[in-house]
Amino acid sequence: MAKYMVTGSTGNFGGLALYYLSKKVAKSDIIGLARSEDKAKKLRDQGFDVRIGDYTNYGSLVNAFRGVDRLLFVSSTTSGEISRQIQHENVVDAAKEAGVKFIGYTSLIKADTSQSPLATDHVFTENLIKESGLNYAILRNSWYLENEKNIIDAALNIGKFVYSAGEGNVAWALRREYAEAAANALSSDEDYDQIFELAGDSATYADLAAALANASDGKFEILSLEPADHKRFLINNDVPEGFADYLVELHQGLKNSMLASDSNDLKELLGRDLIPLSDAVAEIL
């Protein structure tokens, strides 16, 4: 029987992927990867086999990956003293050395053409995987609906739903839908060697506001602002200036539909339709 591993298994995405994978294959064939024994304990208490490995420690990864056939490689965060590219190179090289046969990698929607500052590291990693000789599924995720929690909270707590992305489209879906799709790809018998553009049904922030109004009892004003006014609103509501700049810059990319897509890959990997936007908003409230 194949052995499956999920990296980042103590995190939000990895934990969900581990859960959905356990619905597809025997728990005895699943291995989680954690950075420390403390982080591993919760998963062990749930009956999962967990190995210790850190993206910054190549030797620990080689040891952790031995005997694994199919690996779900959840991308690292951008913070830390060791660059994301070095960390990701460690993962791919260690997988190859350890004899892993297949890698599923969580990338960014339209990574090769995206203007997002996050795209560079993902394209670098995608190329490493393609050149590794391993079979692969590159899972290019669009925007998690959970990423809009700050806008939703402001609407319900302050009474103002504020954005500066204009009529730009965003392909929102729930984190758990992306994680389930990743688990489906990992547990498949397919070797794939392909890129999946995973995206929800594209919608605007006006659509999101309507979905929030439908899903909640809150009364709020919807404000589509210019970037400077959006930043001023954020700062006036105790958002640190640096993070306010980031959010406004993000909305300008979203205004150009940076995270929009008409791909059906997510629905096809899930084998079903996505949760409607209003229902998804209700779920995260």
Side-chain angles (χ1 to χ4, degrees), residues 250-265:
L250 172 65
H251 274 233
Q252 298 322 292
L254 298 177
K255 188 174 185 177
N256 296 320
S257 298
M258 177 177 69
L259 294 176
S261 175
D262 59 2
S263 170
N264 287 317
D265 287 353

Side-chain angles (χ1 to χ4, degrees), residues 14 30 34 45 70 84 98 198 201 220 231 241:
I30 301 172
D45 289 346
R70 295 175 73 87
R84 199 182 201 188
L198 303 182
D201 296 320
F220 51 85
K231 178 179 177 179
E241 184 170 4

Side-chain angles (χ1 to χ4, degrees), residues 123-283:
V123 171
F124 172 84
T125 308
E126 288 184 8
N127 289 335
L128 286 177
I129 291 170
K130 292 175 187 175
E131 294 164 4
S132 70
L134 306 179
N135 297 120
Y136 63 86
I138 292 172
L139 307 166
R140 289 179 170 174
N141 293 341
S142 187
W143 212 228
Y144 302 156
L145 183 60
E146 289 87 343
N147 292 342
E148 304 298 352
K149 193 70 164 57
N150 63 317
I151 290 177
I152 290 171
D153 286 347
L156 298 181
N157 297 328
I158 302 172
K160 295 181 186 298
F161 183 102
V162 177
Y163 63 99
S164 57
E167 295 301 310
N169 281 290
V170 186
W172 288 295
L174 288 168
R175 181 186 283 109
R176 70 176 177 87
E177 293 178 295
Y178 291 112
E180 183 180 354
N184 288 351
L186 190 68
S187 61
S188 171
D189 293 329
E190 297 289 334
D191 290 330
Y192 291 118
D193 291 336
Q194 70 184 83
I195 294 171
F196 295 89
E197 300 282 358
L198 303 182
D201 296 320
S202 289
T204 66
Y205 276 90
D207 295 326
L208 179 59
L212 177 59
N214 187 55
S216 71
D217 296 327
K219 303 294 184 183
F220 51 85
E221 183 180 5
I222 302 170
L223 299 174
S224 176
L225 302 180
E226 293 299 315
D229 295 325
H230 188 191
K231 178 179 177 179
R232 189 175 302 110
F233 169 83
L234 293 169
I235 291 174
N236 287 343
N237 286 281
D238 300 323
V239 175
E241 184 170 4
F243 190 51
D245 285 332
Y246 164 77
L247 290 173
V248 171
E249 181 180 357
L250 172 65
H251 274 233
Q252 298 322 292
L254 298 177
K255 188 174 185 177
N256 296 320
S257 298
M258 177 177 69
L259 294 176
S261 175
D262 59 2
S263 170
N264 287 317
D265 287 353
L266 181 55
K267 295 175 186 177
E268 291 176 4
L269 272 181
L270 287 173
R272 58 170 173 78
D273 286 335
L274 300 175
I275 297 169
L277 188 58
S278 290
D279 293 343
V281 170
E283 182 173 317

Side-chain angles (χ1 to χ4, degrees), residues 33-87:
L33 184 74
R35 285 179 294 174
S36 69
E37 292 291 349
D38 286 344
K39 289 182 176 293
K41 185 180 184 304
K42 183 177 180 180
L43 291 178
R44 288 203 175 109
D45 289 346
Q46 295 172 23
F48 287 104
D49 181 12
V50 185
R51 296 179 185 175
I52 306 303
D54 192 303
Y55 289 180
T56 66
N57 185 327
Y58 179 78
S60 74
L61 295 175
V62 174
N63 290 333
F65 293 165
R66 292 200 188 281
V68 171
D69 298 294
R70 295 175 73 87
L71 174 71
L72 178 59
F73 170 17
V74 179
S75 58
S76 71
T77 63
T78 55
S79 61
E81 294 181 1
I82 298 178
S83 76
R84 199 182 201 188
Q85 291 189 10
I86 291 174
Q87 292 183 50

